[in-house]
Amino acid sequence: MKQITVTTLASMKRKDEKIAVLTCYDASFTTVLENAGVEVLLVGDSLGMVIQGRDSTLPVTVDEMVYHAACVARVRQHALLMVDMPFLSYATVELAVATATRLIQQGGAQMVKLEGGGQQLETVRILSQNGVAVCAHLGLQPQSIHKLGGYHVHGREDKQASRMLREALELQSAGAQLLVLECVPSILAAEISCSLEIPVIGIGAGADSDGQVLVLHDIVGLTAGHVPKFVKNFMQQGSSIQEAVSAYVSAVKDGSFPAAEHSFR
Ligand code: KIV
């Protein structure tokens, strides 16, 4: 199997081939996800909730991200390994460089992800100019949950929508090579995906972005409590975790996931 790189992802976008991304936090699941054809493994700071039992991503530390990234990196064969920069670990450019250095050198990250728009442009520029592959994250930004006052859809108002489109273009110009859009109306996510050369990966952002990401535990029915609207439990389509993950990948590839019921207007 050929290594998946940022070049592969860019070429998939040009060829209109959907990109399947899933979160992954350990070695055993890495093999399951790679066998199913997942192109990007995201060591997300959602591990704060699904692994550590916390109620947000905020307590997750750089040490913890390095630990989980290294667990995945140790057995990864060909999928691209993307790792979240945790809360406030990139609040200044200097901190961002130090965090990215650890995630790459000790965790084995091939791409780092950070949340935010205009305020992150300089950080994205410096990381990218220094050879770091960066994924930006707009729409709902879970690390800002206390400032935002809750989990809700972003970009429904015209002003918010044009700002998101502008920030997406600026992040691309600053050097971002991938963009995640979380909880964004489908029509806006489609417009942003069409306007950008870099691939756009949606979560609760409709079917018209260049790929999809979900939290692994959500698609195998392990989520306790509230299940977000954009989640689908793929265990209902398979009798094993391997089959469920393969069903997710197929549904992303053939465009049947997400359906209207998983999307926002
Ligand atoms: O941490 C995470 O799992 C994420 C995804 C929800 C995109 O950032």
Side-chain angles (χ1 to χ4, degrees):
M1 215 31 220
K2 268 184 75 178
Q3 288 293 322
I4 308 286
T5 66
V6 286
T7 312
T8 322
L9 302 181
S11 128
M12 287 178 75
K13 171 164 183 147
R14 284 195 301 275
K15 291 192 260 178
D16 229 353
E17 283 173 30
K18 298 280 187 192
I19 301 165
V21 184
L22 264 181
T23 65
C24 185
Y25 320 98
D26 69 27
S28 304
F29 274 110
T30 300
T31 305
V32 172
L33 269 53
E34 288 204 309
N35 287 345
V38 171
E39 275 103 9
V40 181
L41 308 170
L42 167 62
V43 181
D45 57 0
S46 50
L47 69 84
M49 278 100 105
V50 298
I51 303 288
Q52 300 175 334
R54 301 180 187 276
D55 64 1
S56 78
T57 59
L58 306 195
V60 177
T61 64
V62 176
D63 281 349
E64 289 162 351
M65 294 307 294
V66 167
Y67 172 82
H68 285 279
C71 293
V72 174
R74 219 162 275 142
V75 299
R76 183 201 68 84
Q77 305 266 314
H78 51 263
L80 184 94
L81 176 50
M82 168 156 79
V83 183
D84 261 336
M85 308 247 265
F87 180 59
L88 287 187
S89 71
Y90 52 99
T92 63
V93 172
E94 291 72 23
L95 263 177
V97 169
T99 301
T101 306
R102 288 201 61 208
L103 294 179
I104 293 166
Q105 292 187 336
Q106 297 166 22
Q110 296 169 313
M111 175 176 253
V112 296
K113 177 163 85 58
L114 49 79
E115 297 178 8
Q119 81 278 25
Q120 300 303 350
L121 292 178
E122 187 56 10
T123 300
V124 172
R125 193 168 293 119
I126 297 292
L127 289 174
S128 171
Q129 280 171 357
N130 284 282
V132 177
V134 180
C135 175
H137 183 149
L138 291 176
L140 173 65
Q141 293 159 34
Q143 291 175 7
S144 302
I145 199 62
H146 295 310
K147 187 177 167 201
L148 297 171
Y151 296 91
H152 55 259
V153 180
H154 287 251
R156 277 191 169 136
E157 290 152 25
D158 288 351
K159 210 169 144 195
Q160 257 190 351
S162 19
R163 178 173 166 181
M164 203 183 298
L165 173 58
R166 177 173 40 79
E167 288 186 326
L169 289 164
E170 287 170 352
L171 286 159
Q172 171 177 266
S173 301
Q177 289 174 289
L178 202 63
L179 172 67
V180 166
L181 288 181
E182 180 163 356
C183 289
V184 171
S186 307
I187 193 158
L188 174 60
E191 187 187 356
I192 295 176
S193 306
C194 278
S195 309
L196 260 53
E197 278 169 33
I198 61 172
V200 175
I201 308 296
I203 172 164
D208 293 324
S209 34
D210 306 304
Q212 300 293 327
V213 58
L214 281 179
V215 169
L216 170 62
H217 291 57
D218 289 343
I219 73 155
V220 295
L222 285 175
T223 314
H226 170 73
V227 177
K229 173 183 162 80
F230 53 77
V231 165
K232 178 168 175 183
N233 178 357
F234 284 88
M235 280 305 272
Q236 287 154 356
Q237 279 169 254
S239 55
S240 67
I241 287 174
Q242 184 68 70
E243 281 181 22
V245 176
S246 297
Y248 164 75
V249 173
S250 303
V252 169
K253 300 275 171 200
D254 68 19
S256 57
F257 177 79
E261 76 214 62
H262 309 116
S263 309
F264 299 103
R265 283 146 45 109

